[in-house]
Amino acid sequence: MAAEVEVLDELHRLRSRVPQLTGALAASVDGLVLAQDTPGVDPDSLAALTAAALGVALRVTDATGQGDFRELLVRGVHGYVATYAAGGTAVLTLLAQDRVNVGRLHLEGRRAGTRIGELIEAAAARAEPAPQTPAAKAPAKAAAKSATPRTRTARAPAKPRTTTNARTTTTES
């Protein structure tokens, strides 16, 4: 990928801003490593697990009516695993010590996720082929559309359902 060096630089800058980070990984939403700085952790396994966790997080936010996925935080005995949206096709996963300031982790993780998403989208735009003649555009659009990974599937509910959160109750029909 053309943005790999830039994304890796962003991961290194992030680790210097948050010294309690023990690893950082940028991955596609389908679990492929884009760039990583994860000493002692297998990046391919972490990317695959991140994709699986992302799938569950997307289902939870959809089922509860909370909107599009933004971030996921898991706390273990020895620290945190935080995953942030990085554009529409990637995620940023951070590993942090238990003593990390979680507010700072979120602040820097969100910023880095936004920046990584911009880098990946810019690289994808640079990689697109030059415009074609009108007769050749139709097959190119169909091929480009099928190659784009989807992160959510829109579906109509089979019956009206009620969604309740702490503030409101909504009935969808």
Side-chain angles (χ1 to χ4, degrees), residues 7-132:
V7 172
L8 188 57
D9 286 344
E10 182 64 31
L11 295 180
H12 289 144
R13 284 192 297 274
L14 176 61
R15 287 198 61 191
S16 70
R17 290 191 306 267
V18 184
Q20 294 81 20
L21 287 182
T22 59
L25 171 119
S28 66
V29 294
D30 51 357
L32 300 175
V33 176
L34 302 175
Q36 59 91 16
D37 182 11
T38 56
V41 176
D42 177 27
D44 293 321
S45 295
L46 181 58
L49 288 169
T50 296
L54 176 64
V56 172
L58 289 171
R59 300 274 315 261
V60 169
T61 57
D62 187 42
T64 59
Q66 299 302 315
D68 292 335
F69 170 80
R70 294 288 183 251
E71 59 197 49
L72 173 68
L73 181 68
V74 177
R75 181 176 183 204
V77 174
H78 301 293
Y80 295 89
V81 179
T83 300
Y84 302 92
T89 60
V91 291
L92 168 67
T93 297
L94 304 176
L95 308 175
Q97 298 171 352
D98 190 41
R99 61 188 179 94
V100 72
N101 178 321
V102 177
R104 178 74 186 267
L105 176 68
H106 283 319
L107 176 70
E108 297 294 347
R110 291 171 186 151
R111 286 180 180 167
T114 299
R115 175 76 177 129
I116 289 168
E118 291 168 354
L119 292 170
I120 292 169
E121 289 170 9
R126 287 190 305 262
E128 288 181 4
Q132 300 173 354

